[in-house]
Amino acid sequence: MDPSRGAISELPIKAEVRNFNFHYGEFHALKDVTMPLCERKVTALIGPSGCGKSTLLRSFNRMHDLYAGNRYGGEIILHPDQTNLLDPRVDPIEVRMRLSMVFQKPNPFPKSIYENVIYGQRVRGVTKRSVLDDKAEEALRAAALWGEVKHRLHDMAFALSGGQQQRLCIARALATDPEVLLFDEPTSALDPIVTASIEELIHQLKEKVTILIVTHNMQQAARVSDFTAYMYLGELIEFGYTEEIFIKPRDKRTEDYITGRFG
Amino acid sequence: MSPSSSSPAVSERLARKASRHISERIIEATLFAAAAVSIFVTVAIVFILVRESVAFFQQVPVVDFLSDTQWTPLFDDAHFGILVLLSGTAVSSTVALAVAIPIGTTIAIFLSEFASQRTRETAKPILELLAGMPTVVFGYFALMFVTPLLQELMPELPGFNLLSAGLVMGIMIVPIVSSIAEDAMRAVPMALREGSYAMGATRLQTAFYVVLPAAVSGIGAAYILGIARAVGETMILAIAAGMQPKLTFDPREPAATITAFIVQVALGDLPHGSIGYQTIFAAGLTLMLFTLLFNILGFWLQRKYRERY
Ligand SMILES: Nc1ncnc2c1ncn2[C@@H]1O[C@H](COP(=O)(O)OP(=O)(O)OP(=O)(O)O)[C@@H](O)[C@H]1O
Ligand SMILES: [Mg+2]
């Protein structure tokens, strides 16, 4: 049926979305979505505004649990232990301990740069200074921010520029050694130069973590991702290697969207 | 579009704009007048306070006013030590804040971060009812209910005391603190909370590590307002704390506060221009300076924290 599918299924899989449905109250926002996340690869979610990209991303770390009336159906399986992240018996806090998230707008806490980075450790009850210091440095280095902030770790995070704040949020997400990183349009509030640096960062990060990224920017999806999923009106229309999706999409709707967006 | 067809339209639009300017100017003038009246009233109050106080200080040296340890303005052997009244105000306010700040903050955290919509909708009107109750009711509640209750625990407690009045005053102030602090916490953007939850934080951790620090300037404002309310409270103290001026820092004793003294004297029939009459203004000016001090402190705190964020 599809030659590339066969190839993908032979890759190590980090997570699998299976027959996933999502409701905001009565509104059926995601319909029967099934797709894999390959280990240590970048998967991009693309599609027109309102198609459900953020909804899918936020299901992975159970953000929808924070609001009443939301309903999950189906499964999101995390490997290697095959935990169903959506199982009501699975504590959402446990889930969020394994998957980190970076939001569209930088949202540093009203704390120092240092306290922001080690927030995840604090929340996990780590108090040993040397461990915290090491973690902070490691995460800030990984987020390519260490050089810029090492002399002012105890300044307030709000004193940083927008791009630095977003990298701080990435450092914060990395400091807990997540298995999967979830990005929701992480560069849409940033200028092109900062965007390029964050894309470069994502490229480096995939050596260690599996990444799922929502983006409106087709060039960005083409540049950073290995796999792309095209969504439309709550359905997954097409999933495959990024080159294939961009060069020879199988579905007419994908083709229209991509040609339209590339102009 | 040709110029001939567009130019009348433009001038018409300008005319309409001009008329809009007139109505806007009327509104502006009205708003200005309203602001001016409130400023005028404030200035007039300060003017009268200062004028009468100046007359007072021509007879009583400022040094005596600040250092004397007795307050007997209506006796033949008159003493005017404002410290006596200040001590009453300080003790009763401290007791009140020791009640209002912890309880008010806890309620605010609970309502903003933990309570369901329905709980919040039930609790808020009840708290507002508490805030809207006449202070005389609180005064008698302190005198007739809280004091006897405290006397069970402390048999030597006098019928009039600062402790009971302060405790009840604290209860009265709880809704002020809780509602302003809650507003401040609810104004913290959801994105910050989501950021914290996404890191694996619990509700409690999110409330204490993220929401509280983000709302600190608003919470500070809530405390300052609570302090101002405690310092200015009159009725509860006049009823339940006794009106004997006494220099004390023991909340178990009866004492008069600045406000209690002012009502006491104002209710009597002192002739205009007498020294007893003028003491009210000196005491009132002192009270005003303290309130001003707290407002400046609050303003400064707010600025300082806003700078840091
Ligand atoms: N809290 C909510 N309650 C009800 N409906 C919602 C809620 N959040 C999103 N939706 C709806 O769910 C659908 C998917 O929304 P979602 O935010 O996932 O879209 P998106 O693909 O991320 O769009 P965008 O590219 O604009 O961010 C939309 O139709 C949206 O209106
Ligand atoms: Mg979105």
mmCIF file of all heavy atoms in Angstrom, chain A residues 8 25 42 56 119 134 166 188 238-239 252:
data_model
loop_
_atom_site.group_PDB
_atom_site.id
_atom_site.type_symbol
_atom_site.label_atom_id
_atom_site.label_comp_id
_atom_site.label_asym_id
_atom_site.label_seq_id
_atom_site.Cartn_x
_atom_site.Cartn_y
_atom_site.Cartn_z
ATOM 1 N N ILE A 8 9.403 2.940 7.882
ATOM 2 C CA ILE A 8 9.273 3.617 9.172
ATOM 3 C C ILE A 8 9.051 2.609 10.294
ATOM 4 O O ILE A 8 9.625 2.725 11.373
ATOM 5 C CB ILE A 8 8.117 4.641 9.136
ATOM 6 C CG1 ILE A 8 8.487 5.790 8.202
ATOM 7 C CG2 ILE A 8 7.839 5.194 10.522
ATOM 8 C CD1 ILE A 8 7.374 6.774 7.968
ATOM 9 N N GLY A 25 -15.402 19.120 25.653
ATOM 10 C CA GLY A 25 -16.843 19.093 25.895
ATOM 11 C C GLY A 25 -17.522 18.298 24.796
ATOM 12 O O GLY A 25 -17.230 17.127 24.592
ATOM 13 N N VAL A 42 12.924 13.974 14.789
ATOM 14 C CA VAL A 42 12.036 15.113 14.938
ATOM 15 C C VAL A 42 10.806 14.872 14.073
ATOM 16 O O VAL A 42 10.929 14.596 12.882
ATOM 17 C CB VAL A 42 12.722 16.426 14.526
ATOM 18 C CG1 VAL A 42 11.753 17.596 14.642
ATOM 19 C CG2 VAL A 42 13.962 16.668 15.357
ATOM 20 N N LEU A 56 -3.345 17.866 19.919
ATOM 21 C CA LEU A 56 -2.642 16.578 19.925
ATOM 22 C C LEU A 56 -1.377 16.661 20.771
ATOM 23 O O LEU A 56 -1.125 15.802 21.618
ATOM 24 C CB LEU A 56 -2.307 16.174 18.482
ATOM 25 C CG LEU A 56 -1.505 14.878 18.329
ATOM 26 C CD1 LEU A 56 -2.240 13.714 18.966
ATOM 27 C CD2 LEU A 56 -1.241 14.576 16.852
ATOM 28 N N TYR A 119 13.931 24.396 38.076
ATOM 29 C CA TYR A 119 12.563 24.256 38.610
ATOM 30 C C TYR A 119 12.118 22.795 38.657
ATOM 31 O O TYR A 119 11.553 22.328 39.646
ATOM 32 C CB TYR A 119 11.584 25.079 37.772
ATOM 33 C CG TYR A 119 10.189 25.130 38.357
ATOM 34 C CD1 TYR A 119 9.912 25.961 39.433
ATOM 35 C CD2 TYR A 119 9.166 24.341 37.849
ATOM 36 C CE1 TYR A 119 8.647 26.005 39.985
ATOM 37 C CE2 TYR A 119 7.891 24.383 38.400
ATOM 38 C CZ TYR A 119 7.649 25.219 39.472
ATOM 39 O OH TYR A 119 6.390 25.257 40.014
ATOM 40 N N ASP A 134 25.211 21.551 38.750
ATOM 41 C CA ASP A 134 25.618 20.796 37.568
ATOM 42 C C ASP A 134 24.504 20.732 36.540
ATOM 43 O O ASP A 134 24.718 20.931 35.349
ATOM 44 C CB ASP A 134 26.017 19.365 37.962
ATOM 45 C CG ASP A 134 27.334 19.356 38.716
ATOM 46 O OD1 ASP A 134 27.995 20.422 38.733
ATOM 47 O OD2 ASP A 134 27.692 18.319 39.290
ATOM 48 N N GLN A 166 13.197 32.155 25.496
ATOM 49 C CA GLN A 166 12.736 30.897 24.923
ATOM 50 C C GLN A 166 13.806 29.817 25.092
ATOM 51 O O GLN A 166 13.482 28.675 25.394
ATOM 52 C CB GLN A 166 12.340 31.100 23.448
ATOM 53 C CG GLN A 166 11.581 29.922 22.844
ATOM 54 C CD GLN A 166 10.220 29.652 23.502
ATOM 55 O OE1 GLN A 166 10.116 29.543 24.722
ATOM 56 N NE2 GLN A 166 9.179 29.547 22.699
ATOM 57 N N SER A 188 7.435 31.050 16.884
ATOM 58 C CA SER A 188 6.519 31.965 16.195
ATOM 59 C C SER A 188 6.539 33.363 16.797
ATOM 60 O O SER A 188 6.106 34.308 16.159
ATOM 61 C CB SER A 188 5.103 31.404 16.207
ATOM 62 O OG SER A 188 4.637 31.328 17.521
ATOM 63 N N GLU A 238 -2.018 12.728 6.484
ATOM 64 C CA GLU A 238 -0.876 12.033 5.913
ATOM 65 C C GLU A 238 0.299 12.101 6.869
ATOM 66 O O GLU A 238 0.536 13.121 7.509
ATOM 67 C CB GLU A 238 -0.514 12.703 4.576
ATOM 68 C CG GLU A 238 0.433 11.886 3.753
ATOM 69 C CD GLU A 238 0.539 12.373 2.316
ATOM 70 O OE1 GLU A 238 -0.329 13.163 1.884
ATOM 71 O OE2 GLU A 238 1.492 11.971 1.640
ATOM 72 N N PHE A 239 1.014 10.976 6.946
ATOM 73 C CA PHE A 239 2.208 10.934 7.785
ATOM 74 C C PHE A 239 3.319 10.259 7.005
ATOM 75 O O PHE A 239 3.081 9.254 6.318
ATOM 76 C CB PHE A 239 1.927 10.145 9.068
ATOM 77 C CG PHE A 239 3.152 9.941 9.909
ATOM 78 C CD1 PHE A 239 3.548 10.902 10.826
ATOM 79 C CD2 PHE A 239 3.936 8.800 9.761
ATOM 80 C CE1 PHE A 239 4.701 10.726 11.586
ATOM 81 C CE2 PHE A 239 5.093 8.627 10.521
ATOM 82 C CZ PHE A 239 5.468 9.589 11.437
ATOM 83 N N LYS A 252 -4.226 14.774 -2.013
ATOM 84 C CA LYS A 252 -4.440 16.043 -2.695
ATOM 85 C C LYS A 252 -4.475 17.205 -1.691
ATOM 86 O O LYS A 252 -3.933 18.284 -1.952
ATOM 87 C CB LYS A 252 -5.774 15.954 -3.459
ATOM 88 C CG LYS A 252 -6.152 17.187 -4.256
ATOM 89 C CD LYS A 252 -5.406 17.244 -5.599
ATOM 90 C CE LYS A 252 -5.877 18.403 -6.467
ATOM 91 N NZ LYS A 252 -5.607 19.711 -5.914
#
